């Protein structure tokens, strides 16, 4: 048996996780049947169209649909030839409470049960609370009347890097109760591990595999809230969180990633996984853990309020009737996802305070419109910025970093920008006549080596590569 034999696998659920996993499994040399109850989604995917923005994924889907290695269907019956079934359905936050809603998982298991045999392996990839794999195993036994092998194999992909994170993961974690199940999951990733023999593969029990995923996201969230608390301290003490974070990050025990202070985290994963982990801590009676994680969530939510307050302050105490240009709607750059987006949350809060808010985003406008139809949206930066008395940078897209401050200055009513992601080059913007407000940094920009201020002052015509607006 070669390390990367072709397997026939099924993927249940074709959202972010499932669509990516299905296409990447085909890329890794397997035959894949992906099933979802959403007919529109399946119709789009069958034509190689994605219902969301993810660089490189539509090409991969089209390639493998074209070659016949990947098939999308709404009929569960078609998963029957597969020996390994990956559960990739969503586990959103429950409408009431902080815990995860496992109803999609339960219905996926029910739909799958008639098609599993004694040779099948069911592999959970969805992010779930500890204890879920055992429940799925028990449920399958009840539904089929015989023992069914179950493994848990959490996914760590980031939006915007989903394909690379799946085909070049930094670790593979497999929770199982048998060596055969563990081996079968390893075979799915055979191509990856044979090309990268040093890749850590952690074979463990269900509880560890389940905990590592939620713990990873809760840890990242904690790191972000920590640096945002440091940002508050910098603001109060005249420090600069960007400098503090850079110096902190040189310590290999800390590491430089996830130390960008600003408006805090959002999206479809970090906030709900943090809350689910807090809920689990409370359920397990780990009171200090639940308290810590509640504070992490609280600090993060306060970021949004803080930025709304700063914007109000920079408009003289009221934003009523003030034209505000909001740059960014997606929860992070490189994504069209607006779920729990800090940027849209701030835009909507300013709107509720009476500001005339116009929102721009390079990718997320149509999702943003659906979420907050009452806001005004601009397809291009010129429309968003013209006549604005305050500009806010709320998502750190490269398009905004590269803006020419002089060209933007010619459009606005007042050259005042609140850079809530610390994305802009303050020296350049200040030199172009802008008042640049930041978060977690003293107002006096320290010139950094890559951009020394010229002794004569930096003119708009000396600003390097102007990207322009529009
Ligand atoms: C996250 C996890 O990284 C991933 O492992 C998991 O599988 C799903 O959740 P994702 O939601 O795609 O992935 O986004 P990520 O790039 O991790 O960013 C999460 C949030 O943190 C974003 O809102 C981002 O803007 C914010 N963030 C990130 C910061 O505010 N500062 C940083 O330094 C890094």
């Amino acid at each position: 048996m070669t390390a990367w034999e072709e397997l026939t696998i099924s993927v249940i659920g074709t959202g972010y996780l499932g669509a990516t996993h299905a296409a990447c499994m085909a890329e890794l040399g397997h035959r894949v049947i992906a099933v979802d109850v959403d007919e529109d989604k399946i119709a789009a995917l069958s034509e190689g169209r994605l219902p969301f923005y993810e660089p490189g994924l539509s090409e991969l889907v089209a390639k493998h649909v074209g070659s016949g290695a990947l098939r999308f269907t709404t009929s569960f019956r078609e998963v029957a030839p597969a020996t390994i079934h990956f559960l990739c359905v969503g586990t959103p936050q429950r409408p009431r409470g902080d815990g995860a809603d496992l109803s999609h998982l339960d219905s996926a298991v029910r739909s799958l049960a008639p098609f599993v045999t004694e040779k099948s392996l069911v592999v959970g990839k969805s992010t779930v609370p500890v204890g879920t794999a055992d429940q799925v195993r028990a449920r399958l036994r009840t539904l089929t009347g015989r023992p069914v092998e179950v493994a848990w194999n959490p996914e760590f992909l980031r939006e915007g890097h989903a394909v690379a994170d799946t085909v070049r993961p930094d670790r593979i974690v497999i929770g199982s109760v048998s060596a055969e199940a563990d081996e079968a999951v390893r075979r799915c990733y055979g191509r990856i591990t044979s090309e990268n023999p040093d890749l850590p593969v952690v074979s463990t029990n269900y509880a560890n595999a389940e905990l590592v995923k939620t713990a990873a996201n809760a840890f990242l969230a904690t790191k972000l809230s920590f640096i945002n608390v440091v940002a508050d301290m910098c603001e109060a003490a005249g420090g600069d969180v960007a400098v503090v974070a850079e110096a902190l990050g040189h310590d290999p025990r800390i590491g430089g990633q996830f130390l960008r202070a600003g408006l805090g985290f959002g999206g479809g994963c970090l906030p709900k996984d943090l809350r689910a982990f807090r809920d689990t801590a409370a359920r397990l009676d780990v009171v200090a853990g639940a308290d810590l994680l509640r504070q992490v969530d609280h600090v993060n939510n306060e970021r949004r309020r803080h930025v709304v307050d700063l914007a109000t302050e920079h408009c003289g105490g009221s934003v009523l009737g003030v034209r505000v240009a909001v740059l960014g709607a997606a929860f992070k750059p490189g994504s069209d996802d607006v779920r729990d987006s800090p940027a849209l949350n701030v835009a909507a809060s300013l709107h509720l305070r009476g500001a005339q808010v116009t929102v721009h985003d390079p990718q997320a406008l149509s999702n943003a419109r659906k979420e907050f139809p009452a806001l005004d949206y601009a397809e291009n930066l010129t429309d968003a910025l013209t006549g604005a008395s305050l500009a806010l940078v709320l998502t750190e897209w490269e398009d905004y970093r590269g803006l020419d401050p002089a060209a933007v200055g010619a459009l606005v009513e007042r050259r005042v920008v609140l850079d809530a992601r610390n994305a802009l080059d303050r020296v350049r913007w200040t030199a172009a006549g802008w008042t640049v407000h930041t978060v977690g940094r003293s107002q006096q920009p320290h010139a950094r080596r890559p951009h020394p201020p010229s002794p004569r002052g930096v003119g708009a015509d000396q600003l390097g590569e102007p990207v322009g607006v529009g």
Side-chain angles (χ1 to χ4, degrees):
M1 192 178 291
T2 63
W4 28 303
E5 76 192 282
E6 179 186 291
L7 302 166
T8 301
I9 66 167
S10 85
V11 172
I12 324 287
T14 61
Y16 228 103
L17 169 61
T20 307
H21 189 65
C24 291
M25 282 287 119
E27 180 72 4
L28 294 177
H30 305 306
R31 300 194 75 74
V32 184
I33 305 132
V35 60
D36 202 295
V37 292
D38 185 330
E39 289 180 7
D40 292 343
K41 210 185 260 180
I42 290 297
L45 285 163
S46 300
E47 291 168 12
R49 282 186 290 113
L50 288 186
F52 48 83
Y53 170 75
E54 180 61 40
L57 185 55
S58 60
E59 291 84 343
L60 210 59
V61 168
K63 173 178 162 191
H64 292 295
V65 167
S67 74
L70 172 60
R71 207 149 40 80
F72 290 95
T73 178
T74 52
S75 162
F76 267 86
R77 203 168 290 282
E78 294 190 39
V79 307
T83 47
I84 301 181
H85 305 280
F86 283 95
L87 299 170
C88 294
V89 294
T91 51
Q93 187 176 337
R94 278 200 301 261
R96 289 187 198 142
D98 279 356
D101 175 356
L102 300 180
S103 57
H104 300 303
L105 189 68
D106 191 52
S107 81
V109 168
R110 255 186 297 119
S111 306
L112 177 64
F115 307 104
V116 296
T117 68
E118 58 285 355
K119 294 209 179 88
S120 303
L121 170 65
V122 175
V123 186
K125 282 201 85 65
S126 306
T127 301
V128 292
V130 61
T132 306
D134 272 325
Q135 286 164 16
V136 167
R137 199 156 180 260
R139 187 97 171 97
L140 280 166
R141 185 176 187 130
T142 309
L143 290 165
T144 63
R146 59 173 172 266
V148 176
E149 280 280 16
V150 170
W152 221 266
N153 168 223
E155 182 57 57
F156 302 97
L157 63 82
R158 295 160 300 163
E159 292 186 20
H161 305 269
V163 173
D165 286 352
T166 307
V167 297
R168 283 190 297 281
D170 43 27
R171 80 284 214 193
I172 293 172
V173 177
I174 305 167
S176 72
V177 289
S178 80
E180 292 74 28
D182 181 73
E183 184 50 37
V185 180
R186 282 174 182 253
R187 277 206 297 276
C188 296
Y189 299 106
R191 194 168 221 156
I192 298 175
T193 45
S194 62
E195 280 168 12
N196 179 6
D198 295 332
L199 181 73
V201 180
V202 181
S203 291
T204 184
N205 60 22
Y206 288 155
N208 291 337
E210 291 162 329
L211 283 166
V212 71
K213 173 60 203 275
T214 32
N217 274 358
F219 182 80
L220 292 173
T222 305
K223 198 171 178 189
L224 289 176
S225 281
F226 182 85
I227 199 65
N228 280 322
V229 168
V230 175
D232 281 344
M233 295 172 74
C234 286
E235 251 172 55
D240 183 337
V241 71
V243 178
V244 174
E246 186 191 332
L248 275 173
H250 291 310
D251 183 335
R253 294 168 303 171
I254 296 174
Q257 292 189 44
F258 269 67
L259 281 183
R260 212 178 43 245
L263 185 50
F265 59 83
C269 290
L270 242 50
K272 68 120 178 145
D273 289 349
L274 171 68
R275 287 171 201 150
F277 200 52
R278 193 207 64 77
D279 187 69
T280 301
R283 194 160 43 82
L284 298 173
D285 236 2
V286 184
V287 178
D291 289 349
L292 170 71
L293 298 168
R294 188 189 297 282
Q295 276 305 110
V296 169
D297 204 4
H298 174 69
V299 167
N300 189 54
N301 278 313
E302 282 298 294
R303 302 310 293 165
R304 303 169 186 199
R305 200 180 55 79
H306 181 55
V307 168
V308 172
D309 287 347
L310 283 177
T312 307
E313 192 184 310
H314 299 318
C315 290
S318 168
V319 290
L320 191 65
V322 176
R323 268 273 293 118
V324 176
V326 163
L327 305 191
F331 84 99
K332 68 170 188 180
S335 168
D336 68 349
D337 195 343
V338 299
R339 287 176 294 170
D340 202 356
S341 165
L344 267 189
N345 187 302
V346 167
S349 302
L350 289 170
H351 170 76
L352 287 174
R353 288 190 183 188
Q356 294 172 24
V357 181
T358 303
V359 181
H360 174 269
D361 191 281
Q363 288 294 342
L365 281 195
S366 82
N367 284 339
R369 272 197 188 96
K370 282 181 225 147
E371 197 78 16
F372 288 102
L375 293 174
D376 180 41
Y377 295 94
E379 297 290 337
N380 62 62
L381 277 163
T382 304
D383 288 351
L385 287 157
T386 300
S389 293
L390 176 68
L392 278 101
V393 179
L394 301 184
T395 311
E396 64 278 32
W397 286 98
E398 278 306 312
D399 309 42
Y400 306 149
R401 285 186 201 279
L403 280 172
D404 173 8
V408 176
L411 298 173
V412 296
E413 178 74 28
R414 268 192 339 146
R415 294 187 176 200
V416 183
V417 61
L418 170 53
D419 179 8
R421 293 288 186 181
N422 293 331
L424 304 180
D425 180 338
R426 275 196 298 177
V427 175
R428 275 180 74 205
W429 282 70
T430 308
W434 284 80
T435 303
V436 182
H437 298 287
T438 52
V439 283
R441 313 176 77 178
S442 58
Q443 287 311 312
Q444 276 314 308
H446 302 281
R448 315 251 331 244
R449 254 184 294 144
H451 304 289
S454 101
R456 293 174 285 113
V458 183
D461 55 345
Q462 297 169 277
L463 290 176
E465 295 271 293
V467 170
V469 290

